Amino acid sequence: YFILTVFTTVGFGDMFAHTEAEIFFVVLVMLVGTIVHSIIISEVIQVVTSTDRTDEFIEKQTSLFDAFALHVGLSANITRSIRDDLKERSREWVSSVTFDKEEMKSLLLSTYMPRQIIGKLPEGLYQGKLGQNSFLQVCSSSFPIPPRLPSLLAVHLLPVELMSGEIAFQMHDFAFHLDVVLSGAFAFVGHPLPGGGIDTMDSAPTDNDSQQLSTPLFPYKLFGPKTYFGDFEVLHGLMRRATMRCESQGETLLLKKHDFFELMEEFPQFGDVWASAAQHRESLRKRALSRLRHPHSYKAFAAITIQRAYRAKQSRVVPRSSAMLEQLKLLAKSQNSSTSGPGSSSHSGHASLRGMATPEKSLSFVMGEVTRMSGVMGKLQIEMQQHNADITEVKEALDVLLRKQEQGTRRC
């Protein structure tokens, strides 16, 4: 009691404990008060110091930019707008959790992380979205993916949120990263022409007319979740060949160029796979650019893309059914030639009708084949009707969305 009274600075005054019960109660109150007081004070100190660190980091970044603006002679309006945006982004950067990449890589490669633990990590990386992305799936088609590759890739990734209409990168920019899409919709955008579209830069809005761009650009190739973009220029050391824009608010994982090449050095078997995939994707981009002849909004272009995919699938089904009909006709001709007389013979007819002794059996065989082929054709027609119904539903849904968008713009 004496020691607690002295060290808790309660002191001995006019009010003090007399009985053992009072002494026990006073000791309990002093212990609880000391612990609670220490926790409160430590939390207050932590909040104050973290606020000071945040303000110090923001002040350092803004001071550096102010010195640069003064050096290059930026106008007051441009300096103010960039400074405000820099403050907000610096505050978000400080508040985000950071870690030492080299130490984390050493931990993943050490014996403290055995294979059974490393094997469970890819299922939880970014809620499993990283393992489902085509950036890794394209590797699995050629080689088995090592268990540590997704985890080492996640160490280098930086999450970036983009708003609708924001430019991810611009034509002729230096290619220092590629992006893995987690959510949202992104698109290569260009200027439509009757003979095919062209890639161009997106013009920044002016202060007098901030709502209208001088050269509007329209999407010609879409990217959604489980895809990635920006790899071709990174691998070949080129400037950006096209402009990438966010069409619907989303999030990407940014992989810097030197980190990408570091992964390729650690896993050399995947370097050629990524390079081949990048070349193929670039050819698809150029083909899509050649089809950009009319301006379409993001949602209208998405509907057109769905229709093209359906028509491509339908074009693969129709020739198959036509070939089956041709085979049926040839089979019927061979049956007729075999039953017309003893002088007519056909090697194909004998091959297909081997074992048939009488014309009645031959006719029943042909009828059976006709029935079987009719069933197959019926199934194909049902599948085509289902596809037509699905496309009709998609069209109706897109029409409703477009009408709502037009009503919203009229109200504004």
Side-chain angles (χ1 to χ4, degrees):
Y1 171 72
F2 175 77
I3 293 173
L4 287 174
T5 304
V6 172
F7 279 93
T8 57
T9 67
V10 174
F12 300 94
D14 297 334
M15 299 178 61
F16 55 91
H18 294 278
T19 64
E20 292 182 357
E22 292 174 350
I23 293 174
F24 177 78
F25 175 75
V26 170
V27 168
L28 181 62
V29 170
M30 286 189 290
L31 286 173
V32 173
T34 303
I35 295 172
V36 172
H37 179 266
S38 301
I39 294 173
I40 293 174
I41 293 299
S42 64
E43 290 293 330
V44 171
I45 293 174
Q46 184 177 358
V47 170
V48 173
T49 53
S50 63
T51 304
D52 292 340
R53 285 197 301 268
T54 303
D55 294 339
E56 182 181 355
F57 179 79
I58 294 174
E59 183 64 26
K60 180 180 179 181
Q61 302 300 317
T62 54
S63 299
L64 182 63
F65 176 75
D66 289 341
F68 174 76
L70 183 63
H71 174 72
V72 299
L74 289 178
S75 63
N77 293 333
I78 296 177
T79 303
R80 190 182 305 109
S81 61
I82 297 178
R83 199 172 190 272
D84 294 339
D85 185 67
L86 181 61
K87 278 185 177 181
E88 186 64 27
R89 292 182 180 270
S90 298
R91 183 173 287 105
E92 293 177 358
W93 177 262
V94 173
S95 60
S96 61
V97 180
T98 58
F99 60 92
D100 192 311
K101 293 200 307 183
E102 296 301 325
E103 290 185 359
M104 190 62 204
K105 285 178 59 180
S106 301
L107 178 61
L108 290 173
L109 297 173
S110 65
T111 57
Y112 298 106
M113 298 286 283
R115 182 176 295 272
Q116 57 268 23
I117 297 178
I118 293 293
K120 297 179 181 178
L121 285 178
E123 300 176 359
L125 295 175
Y126 297 97
Q127 291 81 42
K129 296 179 181 179
L130 181 59
Q132 299 173 0
N133 195 278
S134 57
F135 183 75
L136 290 176
Q137 292 298 320
V138 71
C139 299
S140 63
S141 60
S142 302
F143 301 97
I145 296 180
R148 284 183 169 84
L149 174 58
S151 301
L152 291 174
L153 172 62
V155 170
H156 298 294
L157 296 175
L158 299 174
V160 178
E161 292 187 2
L162 295 172
M163 303 299 294
S164 179
E166 188 173 355
I167 299 297
F169 55 75
Q170 185 127 246
M171 186 179 179
H172 302 311
D173 281 350
F174 178 72
F176 66 92
H177 68 88
L178 62 89
D179 294 81
V180 177
V181 182
L182 288 184
S183 62
F186 300 82
F188 281 121
V189 291
H191 185 66
L193 291 175
I198 57 172
D199 288 308
T200 183
M201 299 176 64
D202 182 63
S203 300
T206 60
D207 295 336
N208 297 329
D209 189 7
S210 59
Q211 301 297 327
Q212 186 176 2
L213 298 178
S214 58
T215 55
L217 303 180
F218 299 92
Y220 65 87
K221 186 169 179 59
L222 295 173
F223 294 85
K226 301 181 181 181
T227 61
Y228 64 101
F229 55 82
D231 53 327
F232 181 78
E233 298 89 349
V234 171
L235 286 168
H236 293 82
L238 303 173
M239 308 298 284
R240 294 295 185 188
R241 294 189 168 188
T243 299
M244 174 65 68
R245 186 174 66 194
C246 178
E247 300 295 328
S248 178
Q249 181 179 355
E251 182 180 7
T252 65
L253 299 175
L254 188 146
L255 179 61
K256 294 183 179 179
K257 182 177 181 178
H258 62 86
D259 294 330
F260 185 28
F261 280 98
E262 183 178 335
L263 277 175
M264 293 174 64
E265 291 178 0
E266 295 174 351
F267 302 93
Q269 68 271 29
F270 298 126
D272 294 336
V273 177
W274 282 320
S276 176
Q279 190 69 39
H280 176 67
R281 288 152 54 84
E282 176 66 11
S283 64
L284 293 179
R285 184 194 69 82
K286 291 180 179 179
R287 190 183 307 170
L289 180 62
S290 65
R291 294 196 296 262
L292 181 61
R293 295 181 175 88
H294 304 283
H296 295 290
S297 64
Y298 151 61
K299 294 181 179 179
F301 179 70
I304 293 173
T305 304
I306 294 173
Q307 291 177 352
R308 286 175 180 170
Y310 170 73
R311 289 170 182 169
K313 184 176 181 180
Q314 188 179 15
S315 64
R316 290 192 296 268
V317 173
V318 172
R320 187 183 305 172
S321 61
S322 300
M324 296 175 70
L325 287 174
E326 291 295 331
Q327 291 179 1
L328 181 60
K329 290 178 181 179
L330 291 175
L331 181 61
K333 289 181 180 179
S334 64
Q335 298 296 330
N336 293 331
S337 62
S338 63
T339 58
S340 59
S344 62
S345 62
S346 175
H347 294 288
S348 60
H350 287 298
S352 59
L353 301 176
R354 189 173 298 170
M356 295 186 180
T358 62
E360 290 79 11
K361 291 183 178 181
S362 176
L363 183 60
S364 63
F365 174 77
V366 172
M367 294 301 296
E369 289 296 317
V370 170
T371 304
R372 185 177 65 84
M373 296 300 292
S374 299
V376 173
M377 291 299 298
K379 291 181 180 179
L380 289 175
Q381 290 179 355
I382 293 173
E383 290 180 1
M384 293 176 65
Q385 290 176 358
Q386 291 177 353
H387 289 308
N388 289 331
D390 294 338
I391 291 297
T392 303
E393 292 178 359
V394 171
K395 288 182 179 180
E396 292 176 355
L398 289 175
D399 290 337
V400 172
L401 290 174
L402 291 174
R403 289 173 185 173
K404 289 183 179 179
Q405 186 177 8
E406 291 176 359
Q407 292 177 357
T409 53
R410 291 175 181 175
R411 291 176 182 175
C412 294

